Amino acid sequence: MEGLNIAIKSACEKSLLRGVKLPRDGPSVSHLFYADDAIFAGEWDWLKVNFFKSCLFGVGVTKATLYDTAHVLGCLHGEFPFSYLGVPVGANMALKKNWKPFGGRLTLIKSVLDSLPTYYMSLFKSPLGIIEQIDKIRRRFLWGGSELKKKIHWVDWSKVIALKSEGGLGVSSLFAQNIALLIKWWWRIKNDKRSLWKCVIVSIHNLYNKPTSYIAIKTSNGVWCNISKAVRALDSLHIDCKNIFALIPGSNVNILFWKDSWCSNIPFHLKFPHLYSIETVKNCLLGDIVSSNGFSWMWRFEPTGSEELNELLQLYTDIGNLNTEQKSKFGFSFLLILVVNIL
């Protein structure tokens, strides 16, 4: 695989193969490897590859072209949606029919009930109808029933999935599990440094110098937008993501000085609107303003009005309340609190 990787990179450098160039100075993706699988991405062209175990998919080409090309290459042709490593690709996961692999008592008995849907739920926001269907199976199994034989459910399901410390049985809430698994991707993209997947997401959704709350282009579709729906699910439960993610100065990832909530629950551009109005670089970073040498302001003119001076005094007070370790070096870190038992 390493030899093939070097060969493909060499072909791209010589313009023999053109990968997919992502917008906004994003990376050019020509191939992806996973174990012994290889995915080639790029402009439609004739390839010279051993296709005995390959399948050809076309994006933006006619079916006739796809079939003819697959015939010439001597390989199978595929259509969307398809399954890769057990995960559906290109399927509308808001439809119940695409969650059918999770039905049946035999599968339930052979698998660990709480972890059965984890693979799907780590990428897709599950429809509430699917969660209810799986919960019905779990409830029946818990009380010894089946589809043909009903048993009395002696304890309400909300108490079954409650924490043991709260008098429950500690059975996982699938809704909470789904939200936690999706929110974790948000945490990862804020902490990951140079991984290819992050570069792709940042490029497609234009996340450069955006506030922490900005995660995806609302008009776009795909897995990442599906992940962003977890945030709206928390909003519907009156859970503010600011209470889940906290920006803490101390590492090396960028923080927007005015637009991120790194020093208080309210970003500075809302808390100090008069100061923000005279800022020349609205998307300036924390490191651009604050350093070990003090403050480097970039005002259009010096603050002299009473409102501006009062806000500046309060801003200095807020930053001064940070502990010594936090003030010693500024950067970015996330605290993640996963809500594991949302009823």
Side-chain angles (χ1 to χ4, degrees):
M1 298 297 281
E2 181 60 24
L4 179 58
N5 177 52
I6 294 173
I8 297 173
K9 286 185 176 179
S10 177
C12 291
E13 292 172 356
K14 297 176 181 179
S15 298
L16 300 175
L17 180 67
R18 292 180 295 275
V20 177
K21 184 65 174 71
L22 296 177
R24 307 178 187 93
D25 295 324
S28 179
V29 180
S30 58
H31 60 289
L32 298 171
F33 291 157
Y34 185 86
D36 60 350
D37 290 340
I39 298 177
F40 298 94
E43 296 182 14
W44 185 261
D45 202 351
W46 293 101
L47 303 176
K48 295 181 180 179
V49 183
N50 187 336
F51 283 105
F52 285 124
K53 293 186 177 180
S54 300
C55 190
L56 187 66
F57 293 88
V59 178
V61 298
T62 65
K63 288 186 177 181
T65 302
L66 178 64
Y67 297 161
D68 292 343
T69 306
H71 177 72
V72 171
L73 294 173
C75 71
L76 299 174
H77 63 268
E79 297 181 359
F80 294 96
F82 65 95
S83 179
Y84 180 69
L85 299 177
V87 174
V89 178
N92 183 355
M93 299 310 294
L95 301 178
K96 292 183 179 180
K97 66 179 183 179
N98 292 322
W99 293 75
K100 285 184 178 179
F102 296 118
R105 184 174 176 84
L106 182 60
T107 302
L108 182 62
I109 295 173
K110 292 182 178 179
S111 305
V112 179
L113 299 185
D114 285 355
S115 62
L116 178 63
T118 299
Y119 204 36
Y120 272 32
M121 287 185 169
S122 63
L123 288 175
F124 307 116
K125 175 68 175 65
S126 174
L128 293 179
I130 291 297
I131 292 179
E132 178 58 28
Q133 287 181 12
I134 299 176
D135 275 345
K136 283 182 179 179
I137 297 174
R138 295 202 299 167
R139 288 195 294 266
R140 291 182 188 134
F141 184 78
L142 177 64
W143 301 111
S146 66
E147 292 184 0
L148 301 177
K149 185 178 182 181
K150 293 184 178 181
K151 292 290 188 71
I152 297 176
H153 297 183
W154 296 101
V155 179
D156 187 82
W157 187 246
S158 62
K159 294 183 178 179
V160 172
I161 62 176
L163 294 172
K164 290 183 178 180
S165 60
E166 298 176 356
L169 297 180
V171 175
S172 174
S173 164
L174 294 182
F175 176 79
Q177 180 179 333
N178 189 196
I179 297 301
L181 289 170
L182 295 179
I183 288 291
K184 187 176 180 179
W185 285 103
W186 194 359
W187 173 80
R188 288 185 63 188
I189 199 170
K190 301 303 180 181
N191 284 273
D192 212 321
K193 300 297 188 254
R194 299 184 180 89
S195 63
L196 177 61
W197 77 269
K198 175 179 179 176
C199 293
V200 171
I201 295 300
V202 168
S203 174
I204 292 176
H205 293 277
N206 193 20
L207 302 185
Y208 301 102
N209 287 348
K210 289 293 193 301
T212 305
S213 57
Y214 186 88
I215 187 173
I217 299 175
K218 293 182 179 179
T219 57
S220 180
N221 295 316
V223 173
W224 189 252
C225 287
N226 186 78
I227 290 172
S228 70
K229 293 178 182 178
V231 177
R232 293 195 289 274
L234 290 179
D235 290 339
S236 67
L237 295 168
H238 307 292
I239 298 175
D240 192 346
C241 282
K242 294 178 182 178
N243 297 324
I244 298 177
F245 295 100
L247 292 167
I248 301 177
S251 61
N252 298 318
V253 184
N254 295 333
I255 298 177
L256 297 181
F257 180 85
W258 293 103
K259 296 184 178 180
D260 278 324
S261 302
W262 61 274
C263 191
S264 65
N265 292 332
I266 304 174
F268 282 166
H269 80 283
L270 295 178
K271 193 171 185 179
F272 307 118
H274 294 92
L275 290 179
Y276 182 67
S277 66
I278 63 174
E279 170 64 62
T280 58
V281 183
K282 305 297 186 183
N283 289 333
C284 60
L285 302 176
L286 175 58
D288 297 332
I289 301 294
V290 186
S291 67
S292 57
N293 297 323
F295 295 84
S296 300
W297 299 111
M298 296 176 284
W299 313 121
R300 289 190 291 110
F301 53 83
E302 290 296 320
T304 56
S306 58
E307 296 91 348
E308 296 161 356
L309 292 176
N310 286 334
E311 288 185 357
L312 186 59
L313 177 61
Q314 183 59 53
L315 186 150
Y316 280 131
T317 301
D318 288 355
I319 296 179
N321 289 333
L322 294 174
N323 62 47
T324 303
E325 181 180 356
Q326 291 173 330
K327 287 184 288 187
S328 64
K329 58 178 181 177
F330 288 86
F332 188 93
S333 179
F334 265 93
L335 291 180
L336 177 61
I337 305 170
L338 292 180
V339 184
V340 296
N341 275 276
I342 305 173
L343 302 183

